Structure formats: C-alpha cells, structure tokens
Amino acid sequence: MLNYLVRRLLIGLVTLVAITFLVFGLIRSMPGSPALMAMAEASPDRTIDPADLERMKRDYGLDKPWYQSYFVWLGNVLQGDLGRSFFRKEPVARLIRQRMGPTLLLSVTSLLMTYLLSIPLGLYSSARANHPEERVLSTGLYMLYSLPAFVAALLLLYLFSYKLDWLQIGRAHV
C-alpha cells in the first residue's frame, strides 16, 4: 500500500513538473514580453530605449532562454517565492493569500450544496428507476447541466436578491 502511494505521488509530481514546463514554455514563446508591456504602460508616447529594454528584461529574468528561466522559476517556487506581479507590482503570494478566503468560501459552499442536493436526488432516482417521476427529474437535471454558469449565476442572483430579498447589495440600510 505504501509503495502504491509513493508511486502515485511520484507520478503526480512528474506530471505537475511536465505541465508547468510546457505551460511556461508556451507563455514565453508568445509574441511580445512583459517588459515591453510595462514600458508601454509607463509612457505610451515615449520611444523605448534599447538599454532600458535590456535592463527590464534582465530584471524580469527574460534575458535567458525559457528553459533556463523555468528552472530559476521552479527553484524560487520551491523556496516559496512566486515572484512579483507585472501589473500590480506586488508579490504574487500576497495576492493569492488575499483571495484565498473568498475562494475557499465559495468552493466549500458549492461543494456542500452539491453533495446535499446530489446524494438525495441520486438515491431517489435509483429507487424510482424507470418511473415517470425519475424520468422527469433526470430530464430536468440534464437541462440544468447544459445551462451556462453565467446564466445560472444571474438567475440565482435574481432569485435570492430580488424575489427572496436575501441579499442587501446596493440598498440603503434604514
């Protein structure tokens, strides 16, 4: 059992490294660079001095081939340094930490709702297999499954905010 777990963890680690290597290479192979974007954002009417461009490439680590930069990036990530955001000029780890709470709240809530709804519906459907009410339930669930997420979000917002008056978004509190 331990051998199996170690083997699965190693396969997962190799897969993670291969995917990050591939994505890193694809991103670095795209035309343009963050250095050019940063310089254009600073002053769009100013011509870019080649010396400034080289300095920014060196600062961002874009002066090396992408496969060498990948291993520098991987070493930094293993030390807990995710780098700095090109646009916000803040450490990426801080940006992720700021958004972790709301993301976990949404994820855990949706997971709980999914299990609280799907287990009883699945038990009911299996107990009533090939009955008309099971067919209606299955058809309705297939229709909901095909509904785009943004449409479902708008419908739920409308339901909870306006019809049920659960959310107090944008309303004056008296």
Side-chain angles (χ1 to χ4, degrees), residues 146-161:
S146 67
L147 192 67
F150 69 92
V151 174
L154 288 173
L155 289 173
L156 289 172
L157 187 63
Y158 175 76
L159 173 71
F160 288 115
S161 181

Side-chain angles (χ1 to χ4, degrees), residues 51-64:
D52 287 341
L53 183 61
E54 288 304 315
R55 181 188 51 80
M56 288 194 75
K57 282 184 176 181
R58 189 175 55 253
D59 290 346
Y60 286 127
L62 300 171
D63 57 339
K64 299 180 182 110

